[in-house]
Amino acid sequence: CHAEGIEDFQNGRTMALFKDPDTGQILRLGQNVRELTGISVLRLSGLEPTLREDIIDIVSGFKHLGFHRIGLTTNGSKLRNVARDLCAAGLDEVNISIHSLDEKTYTQITGHNELSAVLGGIDECKRAGIPTIKINCLLMRRKGMRKDVNSLLKFAGEQNIVLRFYELFWWP
């Protein structure tokens, strides 16, 4: 999702729900969680974290607060621009949502023609040295699903990337 709210892919609408917290608020929350629970593993997700101008500061700040493993879940469209800085800030893992390697199907599913940017982002994550790269794929019962699954399996194997399938979703 590229929006500051919930995106309705079927109807092309975005509903704004809240204003994003600032960097300080996010880091204070992380510090409180760390102090109260001892949790040292963190995943940044929700909407599209890489759209935040302060995402590098957030990752770096959490690292300095003692989080030993920091992951990020993203649609991957902006990774090419921030992968090196995220790695330098201490990002340990990136999970990228890709549901098809077919450009037309990818665009139909996501509403954005950005598959090449996402694949370029994966390349940049590898060059930057992000230790763990994973692809998340939502299984959708639809025409062409088997071909997409096979293409993703082959791609993940060739790239030495973990591929995770989750949920079975009925797509019109």
Side-chain angles (χ1 to χ4, degrees):
C1 177
H2 286 331
E4 292 185 18
I6 300 295
E7 190 155 344
D8 178 352
F9 291 115
Q10 292 292 326
N11 299 308
R13 297 179 302 189
T14 301
M15 298 160 277
L17 298 177
F18 54 84
K19 182 173 175 6
D20 285 339
D22 65 35
T23 310
Q25 291 170 319
I26 291 171
L27 293 177
R28 279 190 298 280
L29 176 63
Q31 182 175 15
N32 290 337
V33 167
R34 179 90 177 97
E35 290 173 358
L36 293 171
T37 67
I39 291 173
S40 63
V41 176
L42 180 70
R43 170 153 312 281
L44 302 170
S45 65
L47 299 179
E48 178 47 48
T50 60
L51 288 178
R52 291 189 64 105
E53 292 179 7
D54 60 351
I55 190 63
I56 309 304
D57 295 331
I58 291 170
V59 170
S60 176
F62 281 137
K63 221 26 147 171
H64 285 91
L65 288 172
F67 286 92
H68 300 294
R69 184 154 183 85
I70 301 174
L72 178 92
T73 299
T74 175
N75 66 24
S77 63
K78 307 299 180 201
L79 272 177
R80 190 183 307 182
N81 303 329
V82 295
R84 288 188 189 279
D85 291 337
L86 284 170
C87 186
L91 188 70
D92 300 292
E93 178 180 308
V94 63
N95 292 41
I96 304 158
S97 299
I98 302 178
H99 312 297
S100 175
L101 290 174
D102 176 79
E103 194 167 344
K104 181 179 177 187
T105 304
Y106 179 92
T107 301
Q108 181 183 13
I109 292 168
T110 65
H112 302 281
N113 184 7
E114 296 178 322
L115 180 59
S116 63
V118 173
L119 296 176
I122 290 173
D123 289 341
E124 194 60 34
C125 286
K126 291 175 82 173
R127 279 193 292 275
I130 294 175
T132 304
I133 303 169
K134 297 180 182 179
I135 293 175
N136 294 336
C137 177
L138 174 64
L139 288 175
M140 289 172 262
R141 191 168 295 246
R142 59 179 168 69
K143 184 179 178 182
M145 181 180 79
R146 285 183 189 214
K147 180 182 174 193
D148 286 337
V149 167
N150 288 333
S151 296
L152 283 163
L153 285 167
K154 181 179 178 191
F155 176 78
E158 290 171 352
Q159 297 292 317
N160 197 26
I161 295 173
V162 174
L163 174 61
R164 302 182 321 165
F165 295 103
Y166 63 100
E167 283 188 60
L168 181 58
F169 180 79
W170 293 93
W171 187 263

